[in-house]
Amino acid sequence: MSIEVTGVNKRFGDFVALENIDLSIPTGQLTALLGPSGGGKTTLLRIIAGLESADSGTVVIEGQDATGLPVQKRNVGFVFQHYAAFKHLSVARNVAFGLEIRKRPKAEIKKKVDELLELVHLGQFAGRLPSQLSGGQRQRMALARALAIEPSVLLLDEPFGALDAKVRKELREWLRRLHDEVHVTTVFVTHDQEEALEVADSIVVINQGRIEQIGSPDDLYDRPANDFVQSFLGPVTTFNGRVVRPHDIDVTTHEVPGTTAGSVDRLTRIGLEVRLDVSVAGSDAPITAVVTRAEALSLGIEPGSKVWLRAV
Amino acid sequence: MAKYLLRTFAIAYLFLLVAWPVSLVVTHTFANGFDALHAIFTNADLLSALRLSAIAAFIATVINTVFGVSVSLLLVRTRFPGQRILGALLDLPLSVSPIVVGLALVLVYGPLNGWFGPALEAQGIHVIYATLGIVLATSFVSLPLVIREVVPVLREVGDDQEQAARSLGANEWQTFWRITLPSIRWAVVYGVVLTLARSLGEFGAVKVVSGNVSGETRTAPLAVEEAYLNFNQEGAYALAFVLASVSVICIAIVAVLRHRSGKVHS
């Protein structure tokens, strides 16, 4: 195990940020800490890094007890949401920073910086200042800077949170490929379940200072431990007193035994799919079902249509 | 229309209050060509006054720069009880009359009746009526200038970069020199220049503590007053011109530097 967190508690005044957290993060994996804002995931990451200290509990990194170590002695790479670029230093000097602190020979630093800038596709920007880069480029620079010190673990705090949707999507695919190349144990914090499902090998769901579930994306999506995890990882709807995914509701336009009758209030097209809001007698909130566009067309569903629903 | 009215008013106000009087100092200085300036630089007592002012201003500026940057870090980067009171106290030197500062220093360091004065005097350390007292008084009145420049900039840049530097292995000292100081350097430069200008011109507090002995403890502003009171108007204006020029040059240098740095960063 690369990171072992045991019995960690943290309060800010009266607010309980983390409560009795036990967590093992295996070597070489890409792990996501996923949860709503204010749930404690960033605090946990900062405690692992040593940027915040826990009220109680221990943090062991690569077999070494790091609980009392200050951040500069932990050899962790940390990437901040807002890049934390050194504004007065060129891109190359930003990346070289950790190596200069470690007093490595000049030639070695230059070689390493060139390599890393190639890795993050910023080779031709070496001489620029961070203010001359786009947000996505700055974050790649920050990643190269963190990787330069050959960290035992790489920690990313909402790394793509400040970027627009398109760049965010590109960067997370790129992060996944990068991780497959460098294999450093990586933990990233996100509140975006799609990001976690797409990028991570394993996901830790954190809510209100507690861990709700740990597992692979498939585990979490298909076998959620509780309603919170299920609803956080994707859309849900309550059908006959059960929480199910809208995809898992079958829609027909004629009565079949074992179905529930309702009428369509609204159709919303989302890409290739159509979401139906169906009101059913005896249920306060409308039930959400999702069908493909082709299905909706062939069934001839429109607002006011009578439909029969069945959970798969 | 209102915009032009306001602009005219502002220009007239600045002209009558600042530009015109200062320009008169210049014209008086050069009423007889360079004679008056020449007279200053050949008068041993006046030269010694200028030297003393320069020394006191330099030491006070060094002290207030080191102290100012440290206190700014303390105020912005840490939390401790009594912080707001400290912040308010730091503005005291700007709000209190310099004469009061001088009298207060005499109360503490006076050689006969001061709290510390006699003890220091017994050790052979002269404060009041000596260079040390002039430096103390000058430091006191120019104390908040660096802090007032640096604190808002420190707040604005935040501590993200410092955290990043530490995560990359930098200790406190390395983080300060490599990251914090470069990001506040223009504020520090501006604060230093203001401190220097203010220190060079300090009159009231220095007048009380210095003893005003010509050639020994008389600073340049005190020499200006002396010349003026002795009906040596030309000499007074010439010396005043020298003092004002130093300040104007300082502020011009900073304006140019700031303009350049602004271009690079935006």
Side-chain angles (χ1 to χ4, degrees), chain A residues 46 51 71-72 76 78 80 82 84-88 97-98 100-103 129 131 145 149, chain B residues 157 160-172 174-175 178-179 182-183 185 264-265:
Chain A
R46 290 174 63 86
L51 289 167
V71 55
Q72 65 263 32
V76 294
F78 201 96
F80 296 80
H82 297 287
F86 301 142
K87 294 198 178 89
H88 61 292
F97 187 89
E100 286 176 5
I101 291 289
R102 284 164 177 72
K103 304 218 163 42
L129 284 175
S131 56
R145 182 175 73 181
I149 61 170
Chain B
V157 297
D160 266 19
Q161 294 182 56
E162 290 163 17
Q163 289 185 14
R166 285 194 292 134
S167 80
L168 293 166
N171 60 33
E172 303 271 319
Q174 288 166 322
T175 305
R178 288 168 182 255
I179 301 304
S183 56
R185 66 187 184 280
V264 171
H265 287 290

mmCIF file of all heavy atoms in Angstrom, chain A residues 46 51 71-72 76 78 80 82 84-88 97-98 100-103 129 131 145 149, chain B residues 157 160-172 174-175 178-179 182-183 185 264-265:
data_model
loop_
_atom_site.group_PDB
_atom_site.id
_atom_site.type_symbol
_atom_site.label_atom_id
_atom_site.label_comp_id
_atom_site.label_asym_id
_atom_site.label_seq_id
_atom_site.Cartn_x
_atom_site.Cartn_y
_atom_site.Cartn_z
ATOM 1 N N ARG A 46 -5.311 17.312 1.630
ATOM 2 C CA ARG A 46 -4.317 18.230 2.205
ATOM 3 C C ARG A 46 -3.657 17.640 3.450
ATOM 4 O O ARG A 46 -2.508 17.948 3.742
ATOM 5 C CB ARG A 46 -4.980 19.583 2.520
ATOM 6 C CG ARG A 46 -5.341 20.355 1.250
ATOM 7 C CD ARG A 46 -6.129 21.624 1.559
ATOM 8 N NE ARG A 46 -5.335 22.553 2.348
ATOM 9 C CZ ARG A 46 -4.486 23.432 1.820
ATOM 10 N NH1 ARG A 46 -4.328 23.505 0.522
ATOM 11 N NH2 ARG A 46 -3.800 24.248 2.594
ATOM 12 N N LEU A 51 -0.247 19.653 4.122
ATOM 13 C CA LEU A 51 -0.580 21.077 4.066
ATOM 14 C C LEU A 51 -1.557 21.440 5.183
ATOM 15 O O LEU A 51 -1.773 22.598 5.491
ATOM 16 C CB LEU A 51 -1.209 21.423 2.708
ATOM 17 C CG LEU A 51 -0.243 21.406 1.527
ATOM 18 C CD1 LEU A 51 -0.999 21.447 0.209
ATOM 19 C CD2 LEU A 51 0.720 22.581 1.610
ATOM 20 N N VAL A 71 5.211 19.390 5.122
ATOM 21 C CA VAL A 71 4.978 19.090 3.701
ATOM 22 C C VAL A 71 6.268 18.990 2.906
ATOM 23 O O VAL A 71 6.410 18.122 2.046
ATOM 24 C CB VAL A 71 4.003 20.122 3.082
ATOM 25 C CG1 VAL A 71 4.491 21.538 3.283
ATOM 26 C CG2 VAL A 71 3.772 19.859 1.613
ATOM 27 N N GLN A 72 7.268 19.840 3.227
ATOM 28 C CA GLN A 72 8.472 19.839 2.381
ATOM 29 C C GLN A 72 9.317 18.586 2.536
ATOM 30 O O GLN A 72 10.193 18.324 1.732
ATOM 31 C CB GLN A 72 9.320 21.107 2.609
ATOM 32 C CG GLN A 72 9.929 21.251 3.986
ATOM 33 C CD GLN A 72 9.064 22.145 4.870
ATOM 34 O OE1 GLN A 72 7.854 22.171 4.739
ATOM 35 N NE2 GLN A 72 9.687 22.876 5.765
ATOM 36 N N VAL A 76 5.832 14.668 -1.723
ATOM 37 C CA VAL A 76 4.593 14.455 -2.463
ATOM 38 C C VAL A 76 4.487 15.543 -3.537
ATOM 39 O O VAL A 76 4.927 16.662 -3.332
ATOM 40 C CB VAL A 76 3.349 14.538 -1.556
ATOM 41 C CG1 VAL A 76 3.352 13.399 -0.553
ATOM 42 C CG2 VAL A 76 3.279 15.874 -0.841
ATOM 43 N N PHE A 78 2.071 18.003 -5.436
ATOM 44 C CA PHE A 78 0.722 18.520 -5.198
ATOM 45 C C PHE A 78 0.348 19.470 -6.337
ATOM 46 O O PHE A 78 1.119 20.343 -6.695
ATOM 47 C CB PHE A 78 0.669 19.246 -3.852
ATOM 48 C CG PHE A 78 -0.718 19.371 -3.292
ATOM 49 C CD1 PHE A 78 -1.192 18.457 -2.366
ATOM 50 C CD2 PHE A 78 -1.565 20.399 -3.703
ATOM 51 C CE1 PHE A 78 -2.476 18.559 -1.849
ATOM 52 C CE2 PHE A 78 -2.852 20.504 -3.197
ATOM 53 C CZ PHE A 78 -3.308 19.580 -2.263
ATOM 54 N N PHE A 80 -2.576 22.187 -7.534
ATOM 55 C CA PHE A 80 -3.649 22.984 -6.949
ATOM 56 C C PHE A 80 -4.720 23.312 -7.990
ATOM 57 O O PHE A 80 -4.435 23.412 -9.183
ATOM 58 C CB PHE A 80 -3.084 24.297 -6.410
ATOM 59 C CG PHE A 80 -2.116 24.102 -5.271
ATOM 60 C CD1 PHE A 80 -0.799 23.745 -5.510
ATOM 61 C CD2 PHE A 80 -2.523 24.265 -3.962
ATOM 62 C CE1 PHE A 80 0.089 23.567 -4.476
ATOM 63 C CE2 PHE A 80 -1.641 24.084 -2.918
ATOM 64 C CZ PHE A 80 -0.335 23.727 -3.172
ATOM 65 N N HIS A 82 -6.163 26.117 -8.628
ATOM 66 C CA HIS A 82 -5.893 27.340 -9.382
ATOM 67 C C HIS A 82 -4.426 27.440 -9.785
ATOM 68 O O HIS A 82 -3.853 28.516 -9.797
ATOM 69 C CB HIS A 82 -6.363 28.558 -8.596
ATOM 70 C CG HIS A 82 -7.848 28.542 -8.363
ATOM 71 N ND1 HIS A 82 -8.746 28.801 -9.380
ATOM 72 C CD2 HIS A 82 -8.582 28.240 -7.285
ATOM 73 C CE1 HIS A 82 -9.970 28.673 -8.911
ATOM 74 N NE2 HIS A 82 -9.908 28.336 -7.634
ATOM 75 N N ALA A 84 -1.483 27.626 -8.926
ATOM 76 C CA ALA A 84 -0.394 28.088 -8.066
ATOM 77 C C ALA A 84 0.915 28.207 -8.837
ATOM 78 O O ALA A 84 1.984 27.866 -8.339
ATOM 79 C CB ALA A 84 -0.213 27.174 -6.843
ATOM 80 N N ALA A 85 0.825 28.714 -10.068
ATOM 81 C CA ALA A 85 2.039 28.909 -10.871
ATOM 82 C C ALA A 85 2.904 29.990 -10.226
ATOM 83 O O ALA A 85 2.374 30.948 -9.666
ATOM 84 C CB ALA A 85 1.658 29.336 -12.287
ATOM 85 N N PHE A 86 4.223 29.798 -10.283
ATOM 86 C CA PHE A 86 5.127 30.857 -9.814
ATOM 87 C C PHE A 86 5.160 31.922 -10.905
ATOM 88 O O PHE A 86 5.798 31.763 -11.933
ATOM 89 C CB PHE A 86 6.520 30.298 -9.545
ATOM 90 C CG PHE A 86 6.542 29.197 -8.527
ATOM 91 C CD1 PHE A 86 7.381 28.107 -8.670
ATOM 92 C CD2 PHE A 86 5.706 29.241 -7.412
ATOM 93 C CE1 PHE A 86 7.403 27.083 -7.728
ATOM 94 C CE2 PHE A 86 5.713 28.228 -6.461
ATOM 95 C CZ PHE A 86 6.559 27.149 -6.629
ATOM 96 N N LYS A 87 4.469 33.036 -10.634
ATOM 97 C CA LYS A 87 4.189 33.998 -11.705
ATOM 98 C C LYS A 87 5.433 34.687 -12.242
ATOM 99 O O LYS A 87 5.454 35.127 -13.376
ATOM 100 C CB LYS A 87 3.211 35.061 -11.181
ATOM 101 C CG LYS A 87 1.839 34.501 -10.860
ATOM 102 C CD LYS A 87 0.817 35.624 -10.778
ATOM 103 C CE LYS A 87 -0.574 35.077 -10.516
ATOM 104 N NZ LYS A 87 -0.872 34.958 -9.091
ATOM 105 N N HIS A 88 6.472 34.800 -11.387
ATOM 106 C CA HIS A 88 7.657 35.550 -11.833
ATOM 107 C C HIS A 88 8.694 34.652 -12.488
ATOM 108 O O HIS A 88 9.739 35.123 -12.908
ATOM 109 C CB HIS A 88 8.268 36.274 -10.640
ATOM 110 C CG HIS A 88 8.718 35.340 -9.549
ATOM 111 N ND1 HIS A 88 7.828 34.603 -8.793
ATOM 112 C CD2 HIS A 88 9.942 35.009 -9.120
ATOM 113 C CE1 HIS A 88 8.504 33.859 -7.938
ATOM 114 N NE2 HIS A 88 9.788 34.087 -8.115
ATOM 115 N N PHE A 97 11.956 24.128 -10.303
ATOM 116 C CA PHE A 97 12.010 24.631 -8.915
ATOM 117 C C PHE A 97 12.414 23.567 -7.892
ATOM 118 O O PHE A 97 13.362 23.748 -7.130
ATOM 119 C CB PHE A 97 10.656 25.247 -8.540
ATOM 120 C CG PHE A 97 10.667 25.942 -7.206
ATOM 121 C CD1 PHE A 97 11.018 27.277 -7.111
ATOM 122 C CD2 PHE A 97 10.340 25.259 -6.037
ATOM 123 C CE1 PHE A 97 11.039 27.919 -5.894
ATOM 124 C CE2 PHE A 97 10.368 25.896 -4.809
ATOM 125 C CZ PHE A 97 10.715 27.226 -4.742
ATOM 126 N N GLY A 98 11.690 22.446 -7.894
ATOM 127 C CA GLY A 98 11.958 21.410 -6.894
ATOM 128 C C GLY A 98 13.361 20.836 -7.015
ATOM 129 O O GLY A 98 13.991 20.475 -6.015
ATOM 130 N N GLU A 100 15.994 22.528 -8.256
ATOM 131 C CA GLU A 100 16.943 23.554 -7.802
ATOM 132 C C GLU A 100 17.036 23.545 -6.281
ATOM 133 O O GLU A 100 18.112 23.695 -5.706
ATOM 134 C CB GLU A 100 16.511 24.935 -8.300
ATOM 135 C CG GLU A 100 16.767 25.130 -9.785
ATOM 136 C CD GLU A 100 16.253 26.464 -10.304
ATOM 137 O OE1 GLU A 100 15.773 27.286 -9.502
ATOM 138 O OE2 GLU A 100 16.334 26.673 -11.531
ATOM 139 N N ILE A 101 15.890 23.370 -5.636
ATOM 140 C CA ILE A 101 15.877 23.288 -4.170
ATOM 141 C C ILE A 101 16.711 22.098 -3.705
ATOM 142 O O ILE A 101 17.426 22.168 -2.714
ATOM 143 C CB ILE A 101 14.418 23.134 -3.653
ATOM 144 C CG1 ILE A 101 13.618 24.405 -3.881
ATOM 145 C CG2 ILE A 101 14.388 22.723 -2.186
ATOM 146 C CD1 ILE A 101 13.993 25.573 -3.014
ATOM 147 N N ARG A 102 16.643 20.997 -4.483
ATOM 148 C CA ARG A 102 17.405 19.799 -4.122
ATOM 149 C C ARG A 102 18.848 19.866 -4.589
ATOM 150 O O ARG A 102 19.580 18.881 -4.507
ATOM 151 C CB ARG A 102 16.721 18.560 -4.713
ATOM 152 C CG ARG A 102 15.482 18.160 -3.944
ATOM 153 C CD ARG A 102 14.618 17.204 -4.759
ATOM 154 N NE ARG A 102 13.461 16.744 -4.002
ATOM 155 C CZ ARG A 102 12.411 17.513 -3.701
ATOM 156 N NH1 ARG A 102 12.384 18.768 -4.095
ATOM 157 N NH2 ARG A 102 11.393 17.031 -3.004
ATOM 158 N N LYS A 103 19.242 21.019 -5.132
ATOM 159 C CA LYS A 103 20.630 21.276 -5.539
ATOM 160 C C LYS A 103 21.190 20.207 -6.476
ATOM 161 O O LYS A 103 22.327 19.759 -6.343
ATOM 162 C CB LYS A 103 21.539 21.408 -4.304
ATOM 163 C CG LYS A 103 21.092 22.472 -3.332
ATOM 164 C CD LYS A 103 22.259 23.218 -2.735
ATOM 165 C CE LYS A 103 21.863 24.531 -2.100
ATOM 166 N NZ LYS A 103 20.639 24.533 -1.314
ATOM 167 N N LEU A 129 6.290 33.080 -19.656
ATOM 168 C CA LEU A 129 5.809 33.244 -18.278
ATOM 169 C C LEU A 129 4.433 32.590 -18.185
ATOM 170 O O LEU A 129 3.709 32.519 -19.178
ATOM 171 C CB LEU A 129 5.687 34.730 -17.931
ATOM 172 C CG LEU A 129 7.003 35.448 -17.647
ATOM 173 C CD1 LEU A 129 6.757 36.931 -17.451
ATOM 174 C CD2 LEU A 129 7.692 34.862 -16.423
ATOM 175 N N SER A 131 1.725 33.669 -17.172
ATOM 176 C CA SER A 131 0.615 34.542 -17.595
ATOM 177 C C SER A 131 0.398 34.477 -19.104
ATOM 178 O O SER A 131 -0.637 34.913 -19.590
ATOM 179 C CB SER A 131 0.895 35.977 -17.166
ATOM 180 O OG SER A 131 2.127 36.411 -17.680
ATOM 181 N N ARG A 145 5.727 20.239 -12.971
ATOM 182 C CA ARG A 145 6.490 20.743 -11.825
ATOM 183 C C ARG A 145 6.409 19.766 -10.659
ATOM 184 O O ARG A 145 7.391 19.507 -9.971
ATOM 185 C CB ARG A 145 5.900 22.105 -11.423
ATOM 186 C CG ARG A 145 6.593 22.777 -10.286
ATOM 187 C CD ARG A 145 6.014 24.153 -10.060
ATOM 188 N NE ARG A 145 4.687 24.098 -9.458
ATOM 189 C CZ ARG A 145 3.952 25.158 -9.170
ATOM 190 N NH1 ARG A 145 4.401 26.361 -9.443
ATOM 191 N NH2 ARG A 145 2.768 25.035 -8.620
ATOM 192 N N ILE A 149 9.987 16.290 -9.099
ATOM 193 C CA ILE A 149 10.667 15.854 -7.878
ATOM 194 C C ILE A 149 10.542 14.346 -7.674
ATOM 195 O O ILE A 149 10.926 13.835 -6.637
ATOM 196 C CB ILE A 149 10.133 16.599 -6.636
ATOM 197 C CG1 ILE A 149 8.639 16.322 -6.420
ATOM 198 C CG2 ILE A 149 10.372 18.098 -6.757
ATOM 199 C CD1 ILE A 149 8.113 16.830 -5.081
ATOM 200 N N VAL B 157 -1.932 38.281 -3.479
ATOM 201 C CA VAL B 157 -1.286 37.130 -4.125
ATOM 202 C C VAL B 157 -1.659 35.813 -3.440
ATOM 203 O O VAL B 157 -1.575 34.768 -4.063
ATOM 204 C CB VAL B 157 0.257 37.247 -4.206
ATOM 205 C CG1 VAL B 157 0.658 38.421 -5.060
ATOM 206 C CG2 VAL B 157 0.896 37.324 -2.843
ATOM 207 N N ASP B 160 -1.115 30.373 -2.151
ATOM 208 C CA ASP B 160 -1.032 29.193 -3.025
ATOM 209 C C ASP B 160 0.395 28.908 -3.483
ATOM 210 O O ASP B 160 0.856 27.767 -3.437
ATOM 211 C CB ASP B 160 -1.887 29.423 -4.280
ATOM 212 C CG ASP B 160 -3.279 28.866 -4.115
ATOM 213 O OD1 ASP B 160 -3.675 28.639 -2.956
ATOM 214 O OD2 ASP B 160 -3.964 28.672 -5.134
ATOM 215 N N GLN B 161 1.058 29.961 -3.946
ATOM 216 C CA GLN B 161 2.414 29.763 -4.484
ATOM 217 C C GLN B 161 3.365 29.310 -3.379
ATOM 218 O O GLN B 161 4.253 28.489 -3.608
ATOM 219 C CB GLN B 161 2.945 31.046 -5.102
ATOM 220 C CG GLN B 161 2.183 31.481 -6.338
ATOM 221 C CD GLN B 161 2.766 32.737 -6.943
ATOM 222 O OE1 GLN B 161 3.941 32.793 -7.268
ATOM 223 N NE2 GLN B 161 1.955 33.766 -7.072
ATOM 224 N N GLU B 162 3.165 29.850 -2.173
ATOM 225 C CA GLU B 162 4.028 29.456 -1.059
ATOM 226 C C GLU B 162 3.802 27.988 -0.696
ATOM 227 O O GLU B 162 4.747 27.242 -0.433
ATOM 228 C CB GLU B 162 3.763 30.357 0.159
ATOM 229 C CG GLU B 162 4.267 31.771 -0.086
ATOM 230 C CD GLU B 162 3.701 32.796 0.880
ATOM 231 O OE1 GLU B 162 3.172 32.412 1.936
ATOM 232 O OE2 GLU B 162 3.798 33.995 0.561
ATOM 233 N N GLN B 163 2.530 27.570 -0.701
ATOM 234 C CA GLN B 163 2.237 26.157 -0.421
ATOM 235 C C GLN B 163 2.855 25.261 -1.474
ATOM 236 O O GLN B 163 3.410 24.198 -1.172
ATOM 237 C CB GLN B 163 0.724 25.930 -0.390
ATOM 238 C CG GLN B 163 0.065 26.535 0.820
ATOM 239 C CD GLN B 163 -1.413 26.180 0.869
ATOM 240 O OE1 GLN B 163 -1.884 25.305 0.167
ATOM 241 N NE2 GLN B 163 -2.148 26.866 1.714
ATOM 242 N N ALA B 164 2.756 25.696 -2.749
ATOM 243 C CA ALA B 164 3.336 24.898 -3.832
ATOM 244 C C ALA B 164 4.850 24.777 -3.633
ATOM 245 O O ALA B 164 5.413 23.693 -3.783
ATOM 246 C CB ALA B 164 3.019 25.537 -5.184
ATOM 247 N N ALA B 165 5.496 25.884 -3.273
ATOM 248 C CA ALA B 165 6.951 25.860 -3.081
ATOM 249 C C ALA B 165 7.314 24.886 -1.965
ATOM 250 O O ALA B 165 8.242 24.090 -2.093
ATOM 251 C CB ALA B 165 7.460 27.259 -2.754
ATOM 252 N N ARG B 166 6.548 24.907 -0.878
ATOM 253 C CA ARG B 166 6.850 24.002 0.232
ATOM 254 C C ARG B 166 6.630 22.554 -0.179
ATOM 255 O O ARG B 166 7.407 21.676 0.173
ATOM 256 C CB ARG B 166 6.025 24.372 1.462
ATOM 257 C CG ARG B 166 6.575 25.645 2.136
ATOM 258 C CD ARG B 166 6.003 25.841 3.513
ATOM 259 N NE ARG B 166 4.587 26.160 3.446
ATOM 260 C CZ ARG B 166 3.661 25.618 4.198
ATOM 261 N NH1 ARG B 166 3.986 24.741 5.119
ATOM 262 N NH2 ARG B 166 2.407 25.963 4.068
ATOM 263 N N SER B 167 5.562 22.305 -0.964
ATOM 264 C CA SER B 167 5.318 20.922 -1.390
ATOM 265 C C SER B 167 6.446 20.434 -2.291
ATOM 266 O O SER B 167 6.671 19.246 -2.419
ATOM 267 C CB SER B 167 3.966 20.802 -2.101
ATOM 268 O OG SER B 167 4.066 21.236 -3.439
ATOM 269 N N LEU B 168 7.178 21.360 -2.911
ATOM 270 C CA LEU B 168 8.301 20.972 -3.772
ATOM 271 C C LEU B 168 9.597 20.878 -2.991
ATOM 272 O O LEU B 168 10.668 20.713 -3.563
ATOM 273 C CB LEU B 168 8.441 21.964 -4.924
ATOM 274 C CG LEU B 168 7.282 21.943 -5.930
ATOM 275 C CD1 LEU B 168 7.313 23.154 -6.832
ATOM 276 C CD2 LEU B 168 7.318 20.673 -6.759
ATOM 277 N N GLY B 169 9.512 21.044 -1.660
ATOM 278 C CA GLY B 169 10.683 20.800 -0.820
ATOM 279 C C GLY B 169 11.347 22.048 -0.262
ATOM 280 O O GLY B 169 12.347 21.943 0.447
ATOM 281 N N ALA B 170 10.818 23.242 -0.576
ATOM 282 C CA ALA B 170 11.466 24.462 -0.088
ATOM 283 C C ALA B 170 11.152 24.670 1.393
ATOM 284 O O ALA B 170 10.005 24.492 1.811
ATOM 285 C CB ALA B 170 10.978 25.663 -0.892
ATOM 286 N N ASN B 171 12.168 25.043 2.187
ATOM 287 C CA ASN B 171 11.891 25.377 3.588
ATOM 288 C C ASN B 171 11.398 26.824 3.671
ATOM 289 O O ASN B 171 11.284 27.514 2.658
ATOM 290 C CB ASN B 171 13.116 25.125 4.471
ATOM 291 C CG ASN B 171 14.313 25.952 4.042
ATOM 292 O OD1 ASN B 171 14.155 27.079 3.566
ATOM 293 N ND2 ASN B 171 15.509 25.420 4.210
ATOM 294 N N GLU B 172 11.112 27.297 4.901
ATOM 295 C CA GLU B 172 10.513 28.623 5.074
ATOM 296 C C GLU B 172 11.368 29.709 4.408
ATOM 297 O O GLU B 172 10.873 30.608 3.738
ATOM 298 C CB GLU B 172 10.400 28.954 6.567
ATOM 299 C CG GLU B 172 9.620 27.951 7.381
ATOM 300 C CD GLU B 172 8.143 28.288 7.411
ATOM 301 O OE1 GLU B 172 7.822 29.477 7.531
ATOM 302 O OE2 GLU B 172 7.319 27.360 7.306
ATOM 303 N N GLN B 174 13.776 29.446 2.074
ATOM 304 C CA GLN B 174 13.822 29.354 0.609
ATOM 305 C C GLN B 174 12.522 29.844 -0.004
ATOM 306 O O GLN B 174 12.525 30.524 -1.032
ATOM 307 C CB GLN B 174 14.065 27.890 0.194
ATOM 308 C CG GLN B 174 15.470 27.418 0.483
ATOM 309 C CD GLN B 174 15.598 25.899 0.378
ATOM 310 O OE1 GLN B 174 14.697 25.158 0.774
ATOM 311 N NE2 GLN B 174 16.713 25.444 -0.156
ATOM 312 N N THR B 175 11.401 29.492 0.643
ATOM 313 C CA THR B 175 10.105 29.943 0.136
ATOM 314 C C THR B 175 10.030 31.463 0.153
ATOM 315 O O THR B 175 9.579 32.083 -0.806
ATOM 316 C CB THR B 175 8.958 29.354 0.996
ATOM 317 O OG1 THR B 175 9.104 27.949 1.032
ATOM 318 C CG2 THR B 175 7.606 29.722 0.438
ATOM 319 N N ARG B 178 12.625 32.887 -2.605
ATOM 320 C CA ARG B 178 12.396 32.535 -4.001
ATOM 321 C C ARG B 178 10.977 32.852 -4.475
ATOM 322 O O ARG B 178 10.752 33.060 -5.659
ATOM 323 C CB ARG B 178 12.661 31.035 -4.212
ATOM 324 C CG ARG B 178 14.127 30.694 -4.152
ATOM 325 C CD ARG B 178 14.279 29.192 -4.060
ATOM 326 N NE ARG B 178 15.662 28.810 -3.962
ATOM 327 C CZ ARG B 178 16.351 28.286 -4.979
ATOM 328 N NH1 ARG B 178 15.774 28.089 -6.125
ATOM 329 N NH2 ARG B 178 17.616 27.968 -4.822
ATOM 330 N N ILE B 179 10.012 32.840 -3.548
ATOM 331 C CA ILE B 179 8.619 32.985 -3.977
ATOM 332 C C ILE B 179 7.967 34.246 -3.401
ATOM 333 O O ILE B 179 7.466 35.086 -4.134
ATOM 334 C CB ILE B 179 7.791 31.739 -3.579
ATOM 335 C CG1 ILE B 179 8.389 30.486 -4.203
ATOM 336 C CG2 ILE B 179 6.332 31.907 -3.964
ATOM 337 C CD1 ILE B 179 8.520 30.530 -5.717
ATOM 338 N N PRO B 182 9.897 37.823 -4.367
ATOM 339 C CA PRO B 182 9.695 38.262 -5.744
ATOM 340 C C PRO B 182 8.256 38.709 -6.020
ATOM 341 O O PRO B 182 8.037 39.627 -6.804
ATOM 342 C CB PRO B 182 10.044 37.021 -6.572
ATOM 343 C CG PRO B 182 10.962 36.251 -5.722
ATOM 344 C CD PRO B 182 10.510 36.483 -4.303
ATOM 345 N N SER B 183 7.274 38.083 -5.360
ATOM 346 C CA SER B 183 5.899 38.463 -5.691
ATOM 347 C C SER B 183 5.472 39.763 -5.010
ATOM 348 O O SER B 183 4.491 40.366 -5.419
ATOM 349 C CB SER B 183 4.916 37.313 -5.400
ATOM 350 O OG SER B 183 5.025 36.904 -4.075
ATOM 351 N N ARG B 185 7.839 42.271 -4.591
ATOM 352 C CA ARG B 185 9.003 43.164 -4.703
ATOM 353 C C ARG B 185 8.644 44.601 -5.051
ATOM 354 O O ARG B 185 9.252 45.530 -4.534
ATOM 355 C CB ARG B 185 10.039 42.604 -5.677
ATOM 356 C CG ARG B 185 9.601 42.517 -7.127
ATOM 357 C CD ARG B 185 10.674 41.780 -7.909
ATOM 358 N NE ARG B 185 10.414 41.707 -9.324
ATOM 359 C CZ ARG B 185 9.590 40.838 -9.898
ATOM 360 N NH1 ARG B 185 8.907 39.990 -9.149
ATOM 361 N NH2 ARG B 185 9.414 40.811 -11.193
ATOM 362 N N VAL B 264 5.273 44.005 -18.393
ATOM 363 C CA VAL B 264 5.729 42.621 -18.467
ATOM 364 C C VAL B 264 4.630 41.676 -17.992
ATOM 365 O O VAL B 264 4.386 40.631 -18.584
ATOM 366 C CB VAL B 264 7.000 42.408 -17.619
ATOM 367 C CG1 VAL B 264 7.334 40.926 -17.521
ATOM 368 C CG2 VAL B 264 8.156 43.163 -18.251
ATOM 369 N N HIS B 265 3.920 42.080 -16.912
ATOM 370 C CA HIS B 265 2.981 41.136 -16.307
ATOM 371 C C HIS B 265 1.597 41.133 -16.918
ATOM 372 O O HIS B 265 0.861 40.193 -16.723
ATOM 373 C CB HIS B 265 2.905 41.377 -14.795
ATOM 374 C CG HIS B 265 4.144 40.904 -14.106
ATOM 375 N ND1 HIS B 265 4.429 39.574 -13.984
ATOM 376 C CD2 HIS B 265 5.180 41.569 -13.574
ATOM 377 C CE1 HIS B 265 5.580 39.441 -13.372
ATOM 378 N NE2 HIS B 265 6.063 40.637 -13.119
#
